[in-house]
Amino acid sequence: MIKWLFINRSIRTKIVWSIILTSLIPMLVLSFLFYESSTRSLERTIYRTTNQNAEYLSGYLNQYFKDISSSALQVYGYDSRIMNLMANGWGGNDQDFFNTRDTLKNYYALVSNKNKDAVIRILVFGKDDRLRDSWSRAASYDSIPFDRSIPHYGEMLNLPFQQTLAFTYADAVLNQDLFVYAITIYDPFKYTKVGSLVFYIQTKELTKVIEANNKAPNVIVLQNSRGETFYETNGRYAGSVPRFVPPPSTSAKTNPKEIRFDKQKDLLVGTSYLDNANLSLSIVYPNDELARHRKTTLYIAVGAFFFAMASIALLSLLAQQYITRPIQLLGKAMKTVRHGNFHVTLNQPIHYRDDISELTRNFNFMTEKIRELIEMRFQLQLRNKEAQLLALQMQINPHFLYNTLQTIGGKAVLSGDYDIHEMCRALGDMFRYSFYEGNTESTLGQELAHIGNYLYIQQFRFEDALQTEFDVPAELMDASIVRFVMQPIIENVVVHALGGPDDRQLLIRVGAERADDDVLLTVRDNGPGIDPAKLASLRSGLEQRSLEVFTGVSIGLKNVHERIRLMYGEAYGLEIVESGPGTGTTIRVRIPYRKRGETHA
């Protein structure tokens, strides 16, 4: 935002924005953090957040008890044998006995899995309140008694229709706190009692489920339909939670997640009805948390004040920096140019359009033009030096070298050593091609004959380790080409591919083809290839402009590339097509197609 206000603006606009920001931001910060309004807003936020947390926890616990209740009600749709067992007891033949036993076994497994192994014991009672069957998750739970030592012993087997009873007690036999959930099963059509189911769950497992969704310092209190508190996070606020009375209206039963909050002096207390268990959920939010938030708000207000003061100082510095720093940088750059260093460029984003940015761009344009003029003059001087050097070299009569080589060849023939004669002939042809005083251009046929002589001499050195193949159409032999384009490429292959630690045979393929108005010359080899890092460096070097002097007999891929571009233009030159360790290298040269003596457009 600050950059948007200052970039692409005039100096006058920047100063105005500096004054506005210096005055406005502290006022906004102090007004926003005004203590009383922030405190009231915080109270409303906490009230709303607590309401949301209570709704979430209410829904979660209602679903938890719904799973237990639905497990009990599975007897209606699971198998009629369990209902018959409750109503009539064990009877019938052996086959009915075993079928009923298998049905009970499957039912117990279903209840255990549905409640994630939380249920440790199940009691099945008949309509006469006699125990029909029982199941325990472990043998130690068989010792849990069902007698008058258990609270609500006399009423838990005769509950009203669609009513449940939940409570906790300390079992003296197991020395554990247990949660008991009882429900009476009725005939859905006659509304007569069929039997009862009693589920036992360890209280610690219930505690894990409840507290896993609670946030400190909230206190959770659960009451059953008798108004008895059978679970609470701690007893600190026992007197603040009202006794639960089951709602007579159907609205609370059909909307069990409805939350009612009682805002007391020190606490926020919310109570909701859990329809699936005939329970009430109360959440107590301590008000000391609000006091702590008020203190935090006070610290924020004080900190915001100092922050606003620091912002004023910082914004003033930033405004001054945006105005004066570019001018200072421009002045230093001009001093550097005055001392003769024209390689100075000021960094400036292209989308900046203010006054100082325009001065910076004009300065960069000026120094770039001066560098180009100096480079052009330097190159002209180097070309003059090159011409003088070539003129001195041409003063040496090359015929002396030719005659000497012919004499050596003749002596070799007289001695019967024809290989030396052929080497002298090939070397003489190479000298004649090199010392030719005419045009710097030649034909493709003459260039190939030149590299043929070079390879002929190299084959005497490497023998069978060097093999060559030429695939050049006859109609391209008269195509014009700059001298000494192919020999540096071939020589580079021979130097780097032969004489190494491996004894591989080097095969060099030279090809040419017509591509519209151009000629593509290709040199392929099966050598060791080029390392990827070095290959990237070579390709980058070919793209960079060089100020070196290129003589008539230049070596190296860079020199070949630059000579072709100087002769024919930027669209032509040398390219390393592909290369990799162990796969060889392919180099392609692009030149315009024209006959010798024609002018390239």
Side-chain angles (χ1 to χ4, degrees):
M1 181 64 180
I2 295 179
K3 285 188 176 181
W4 181 82
L5 293 175
F6 284 99
I7 302 303
N8 300 331
R9 313 292 182 185
S10 64
I11 297 178
R12 184 176 181 179
T13 304
K14 291 178 180 180
I15 295 175
V16 172
W17 275 118
S18 298
I19 298 173
I20 293 175
L21 291 176
T22 302
S23 304
L24 182 61
I25 291 181
M27 293 178 62
L28 291 176
V29 172
L30 293 176
S31 299
F32 179 76
L33 295 176
F34 184 68
Y35 177 73
E36 290 297 333
S37 62
S38 297
T39 302
R40 288 193 294 267
S41 176
L42 183 60
E43 290 178 352
R44 289 192 297 268
T45 301
I46 291 177
Y47 187 86
R48 184 171 56 254
T49 303
T50 306
N51 190 7
Q52 293 173 352
N53 292 339
E55 288 184 0
Y56 171 78
L57 184 58
S58 174
Y60 181 83
L61 291 180
N62 197 45
Q63 182 62 41
Y64 177 80
F65 290 110
K66 181 180 179 181
D67 292 340
I68 299 177
S69 179
S70 62
S71 298
L73 298 178
Q74 287 289 333
V75 296
Y76 286 110
Y78 191 82
D79 198 309
S80 61
R81 293 188 181 93
I82 300 179
M83 297 287 288
N84 290 334
L85 175 64
M86 289 182 178
N88 305 314
W90 294 97
N93 54 34
D94 294 339
Q95 183 65 34
D96 291 337
F97 174 82
F98 288 112
N99 289 338
T100 303
R101 177 59 62 189
D102 290 340
T103 300
L104 287 170
K105 182 180 179 180
N106 294 333
Y107 172 71
Y108 296 148
L110 173 66
V111 173
S112 179
N113 293 333
K114 187 176 182 62
N115 295 277
K116 301 178 181 179
D117 295 330
V119 179
I120 63 173
R121 184 166 172 79
I122 303 174
L123 300 180
V124 181
F125 291 90
K127 64 180 180 180
D128 55 0
D129 296 341
R130 291 185 179 183
L131 182 63
R132 297 285 194 259
D133 195 60
S134 65
W135 170 88
S136 299
R137 195 175 66 185
S140 60
Y141 299 132
D142 291 337
S143 60
I144 298 176
F146 187 80
D147 51 27
R148 297 186 181 278
S149 63
I150 302 177
H152 305 287
Y153 170 76
E155 59 178 319
M156 61 191 302
L157 299 181
N158 293 282
L159 298 173
F161 180 67
Q162 292 186 341
Q163 293 292 317
T164 62
L165 180 61
F167 60 91
T168 58
Y169 78 101
D171 187 80
V173 178
L174 294 180
N175 195 23
Q176 292 183 10
D177 292 334
L178 299 180
F179 170 70
V180 181
Y181 186 88
I183 183 172
T184 302
I185 305 299
Y186 284 82
D187 187 302
F189 302 103
K190 299 179 180 179
Y191 296 102
T192 58
K193 176 182 174 181
V194 177
S196 300
L197 293 173
V198 180
F199 299 90
Y200 288 84
I201 299 174
Q202 290 179 314
T203 304
K204 62 180 183 180
E205 296 296 331
L206 178 65
T207 302
K208 290 181 181 178
V209 172
I210 297 174
E211 295 303 330
N213 296 275
N214 188 24
K215 295 182 179 180
N218 295 2
V219 175
I220 296 177
V221 179
L222 291 176
Q223 300 181 55
N224 59 19
S225 57
R226 305 299 188 270
E228 300 171 347
T229 300
F230 65 89
Y231 177 84
E232 58 183 341
T233 304
N234 56 63
R236 182 178 178 184
Y237 308 107
S240 301
V241 178
R243 188 174 183 274
F244 171 61
V245 177
S249 63
T250 58
S251 61
K253 294 183 178 181
T254 57
N255 187 17
K257 297 181 182 179
E258 182 180 357
I259 308 296
R260 298 189 307 275
F261 274 90
D262 299 325
K263 188 175 181 181
Q264 302 179 7
K265 180 178 180 181
D266 298 326
L267 304 172
L268 285 176
V269 181
T271 302
S272 61
Y273 175 67
L274 304 183
D275 179 52
N276 288 287
N278 293 327
L279 304 176
S280 72
L281 166 67
S282 297
I283 302 179
V284 182
Y285 191 89
N287 207 22
D288 55 356
E289 185 74 10
L290 293 176
R292 186 161 56 250
H293 283 306
R294 290 191 187 100
K295 181 183 266 188
T296 303
T297 304
L298 179 60
Y299 290 154
I300 293 176
V302 175
F305 172 77
F306 289 104
F307 173 77
M309 298 303 296
S311 298
I312 294 175
L314 180 61
L315 289 172
S316 299
L317 293 175
L318 289 176
Q320 182 182 10
Q321 183 181 17
Y322 278 111
I323 297 173
T324 60
R325 185 179 178 186
I327 298 177
Q328 293 174 353
L329 293 176
L330 186 60
K332 292 180 180 179
M334 289 182 177
K335 290 181 180 179
T336 304
V337 172
R338 187 176 63 186
H339 289 88
N341 183 7
F342 294 95
H343 294 275
V344 178
T345 302
L346 295 176
N347 295 327
Q348 184 69 33
I350 192 172
H351 58 277
Y352 288 4
R353 288 292 184 271
D354 54 29
D355 303 335
I356 300 177
S357 300
E358 289 295 332
L359 290 175
T360 303
R361 274 190 288 273
N362 292 334
F363 174 80
N364 291 336
F365 178 79
M366 178 189 67
T367 55
E368 183 180 358
K369 287 300 181 181
I370 293 176
R371 286 198 303 270
E372 290 180 359
L373 293 174
I374 294 176
E375 290 173 1
M376 291 176 60
R377 183 174 181 181
F378 179 66
Q379 289 187 21
L380 181 60
Q381 292 177 352
L382 293 179
R383 296 296 184 271
N384 292 335
K385 294 291 184 180
E386 180 184 1
Q388 296 175 6
L389 180 60
L390 291 177
L392 292 175
Q393 291 177 349
M394 291 302 178
Q395 293 178 3
I396 303 176
N397 190 352
H399 294 290
F400 172 74
L401 298 176
Y402 304 151
N403 295 334
T404 302
L405 289 174
Q406 290 177 359
T407 301
I408 296 173
K411 288 289 186 180
V413 171
L414 293 177
S415 300
D417 196 340
Y418 293 97
D419 290 341
I420 295 178
H421 172 72
E422 289 299 321
M423 290 180 66
C424 292
R425 180 199 58 77
L427 184 59
D429 291 342
M430 291 182 65
F431 281 159
R432 186 178 296 107
Y433 188 76
S434 300
F435 293 146
Y436 179 71
E437 299 180 6
N439 200 331
T440 57
E441 285 188 309
S442 179
T443 64
L444 182 58
Q446 293 174 340
E447 185 75 6
L448 293 177
H450 177 67
I451 65 173
N453 289 326
Y454 171 78
L455 290 172
Y456 179 77
I457 296 174
Q458 292 293 344
Q459 283 176 332
F460 276 101
R461 175 185 176 188
F462 297 105
E463 299 179 347
D464 294 336
L466 177 61
Q467 299 293 327
T468 59
E469 292 181 4
F470 290 86
D471 182 15
V472 180
E475 60 270 15
L476 297 180
M477 290 297 184
D478 292 335
S480 177
I481 188 174
V482 182
R483 289 175 178 270
F484 305 110
V485 168
M486 302 298 292
Q487 180 190 342
I489 301 175
I490 300 297
E491 186 175 356
N492 188 69
V493 175
V494 173
V495 170
H496 292 89
L498 290 176
D502 52 350
D503 297 332
R504 71 169 65 191
Q505 186 184 63
L506 177 63
L507 175 61
I508 301 177
R509 293 186 177 93
V510 180
E513 61 179 344
R514 180 83 177 269
D516 296 332
D517 294 332
D518 298 334
V519 176
L520 300 180
L521 304 176
T522 306
V523 179
R524 295 185 176 91
D525 67 79
N526 61 346
I530 305 174
D531 181 75
K534 186 176 181 180
L535 177 62
S537 177
L538 289 175
R539 286 174 173 169
S540 176
L542 290 176
E543 296 300 325
Q544 296 178 1
R545 184 179 179 183
S546 176
L547 297 178
E548 298 177 359
V549 180
F550 308 107
T551 60
V553 185
S554 59
I555 61 174
L557 303 182
K558 174 68 174 177
N559 288 341
V560 171
H561 180 64
E562 291 290 347
R563 289 174 60 233
I564 294 176
R565 295 176 69 181
L566 288 174
M567 187 70 184
Y568 300 119
E570 299 291 332
Y572 302 95
L574 180 145
E575 177 187 5
I576 304 177
V577 179
E578 59 181 352
S579 182
T583 61
T585 303
T586 300
I587 297 177
R588 183 167 58 202
V589 176
R590 179 184 292 272
I591 60 174
Y593 175 75
R594 59 185 178 85
K595 297 296 183 64
R596 187 176 181 182
E598 296 179 355
T599 302
H600 171 62

